[in-house]
Amino acid sequence: MKERQFPRARVDCLSREFGDEVLVYDLQRDLGHCLNSTAAATWKVCDGYRSPSQIAKTLSRQFSAPVDEEVVLLALGQLADAHLLTKPEVPVERLSRRVVIRRIGIAAAVALPLITSIVAPTPAHAASCFPNGHPCTSPAQCCSGLCGLLTGICGNILSQKPPPRPSQPMTRKWQH
């Protein structure tokens, strides 16, 4: 059995495809990464058994267009920087985006891999709400669940709807 020695995608991340792109959520680091089609395709074929040149051949078949090994090396470098690969036993050559563009030409730069990352909010930040006294536009924004209809302030006394007015005018009975 062939031993895994080449780049391998981490399996402990959550991923979801959106068209050609893939969103990968790193549970250990609370980071979300958006991989464009080239980076996503590279990440998907990183099984630990394929060398960068074999990955380039696989991607060439998949895209029905030639994919240079330099593009794969750039993608692997970006995937490693994003901690989306396990550490390979055989180190992979790392190339900068500038070097790759010089080697393959500016016209092919559109197909270069791109990974955009964002820090996910902590549960406390994700579930935050406005305290009493804070301006609001809807009850869902307020921790108290009360947004003043007249004041637009969380938890304000005038948070509730005013009592309905009687349909008939009130009359006073005079006593003689």
Side-chain angles (χ1 to χ4, degrees):
M1 184 172 167
K2 192 174 178 183
E3 193 172 321
R4 292 182 185 196
Q5 56 182 350
F6 293 114
R8 183 168 49 115
R10 285 183 40 206
V11 294
D12 61 340
C13 295
L14 302 175
S15 65
R16 181 160 186 186
E17 294 186 31
F18 294 96
D20 291 341
E21 296 184 348
V22 173
L23 182 64
V24 181
Y25 185 72
D26 183 344
L27 296 166
Q28 293 177 356
R29 291 179 174 76
D30 288 323
L31 289 172
H33 307 281
C34 182
L35 285 57
N36 74 354
S37 59
T38 307
T42 303
W43 184 69
K44 289 178 191 176
V45 298
C46 287
D47 58 5
Y49 298 114
R50 298 179 199 186
S51 69
S53 62
Q54 292 169 322
I55 292 172
K57 289 176 187 173
T58 301
L59 295 181
S60 294
R61 283 192 303 273
Q62 183 178 331
F63 289 132
S64 301
V67 175
D68 291 331
E69 186 176 347
E70 288 84 9
V71 171
V72 172
L73 292 172
L74 178 63
L76 292 173
Q78 291 180 4
L79 290 166
D81 289 344
H83 304 283
L84 296 177
L85 299 175
T86 60
K87 300 222 187 271
E89 295 185 22
V90 175
V92 176
E93 178 187 0
R94 298 186 59 125
L95 299 174
S96 71
R97 198 171 185 88
R98 183 174 292 163
V99 169
V100 173
I101 290 173
R102 276 192 219 139
R103 288 186 187 174
I104 65 171
I106 194 71
V110 175
L112 289 180
L114 178 67
I115 299 174
T116 307
S117 302
I118 186 169
V119 176
T122 63
H125 286 108
S128 60
C129 54
F130 295 147
N132 285 345
H134 193 280
C136 60
T137 57
S138 117
Q141 295 174 320
C142 304
C143 297
S144 64
L146 301 173
C147 179
L149 294 174
L150 303 175
T151 61
I153 302 292
C154 288
N156 192 284
I157 294 173
L158 299 175
S159 297
Q160 302 297 324
K161 290 182 180 178
R165 294 186 176 196
S167 57
Q168 298 176 354
M170 294 181 74
T171 58
R172 293 187 185 191
K173 293 185 181 181
W174 297 96
Q175 291 182 340
H176 296 292

